[in-house]
């Protein structure tokens, strides 16, 4: 209980995922989309994280909670398909 009172993080993987998700939400608020390039100069880690989420989803190993959270902000799972439909 004392550890909880000081904000102790029990699950680092979940904490890290949520931190990245929050960064993605901030990116979307600023840019109007979730399509972070892997070469995004201001935060290359975020671009790699976004790419990794797409890969995990393709491999069917991304949790349904994470999929639902990403869907809720308009995450694009297939950039090729998205680009094709946009043009």
């Amino acid at each position: 209980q004392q550890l909880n009172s000081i904000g102790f993080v029990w699950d680092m993987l979940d904490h890290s995922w949520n931190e990245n998700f929050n960064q993605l939400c901030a990116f979307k608020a600023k840019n109007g989309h979730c399509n972070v390039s892997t070469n995004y100069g201001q935060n290359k880690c975020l671009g790699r994280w976004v790419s990794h989420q797409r890969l995990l989803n393709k491999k069917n190993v991304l949790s349904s909670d994470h999929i639902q959270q990403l869907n809720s902000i308009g995450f694009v799972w297939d950039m090729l398909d998205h680009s094709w439909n946009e043009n």
Side-chain angles (χ1 to χ4, degrees), residues 66-84:
H66 290 167
I67 292 169
Q68 186 176 20
Q69 282 182 270
L70 290 165
N71 283 338
S72 75
I73 62 167
F75 190 82
V76 175
W77 295 103
D78 187 331
M79 285 303 297
L80 268 153
D81 189 48
H82 177 72
S83 295
W84 176 263

Side-chain angles (χ1 to χ4, degrees), residues 19-30:
E19 287 288 314
N20 282 301
F21 179 75
N22 290 336
Q23 289 179 27
L24 180 59
C25 289
F27 176 91
K28 181 181 181 182
K30 181 178 179 183

Side-chain angles (χ1 to χ4, degrees), residues 32-46:
H33 61 81
C34 298
N35 306 328
V36 185
S37 167
T38 53
N39 297 321
Y40 178 53
Q42 294 179 4
N43 189 344
K44 289 184 180 181
C45 290
L46 181 60

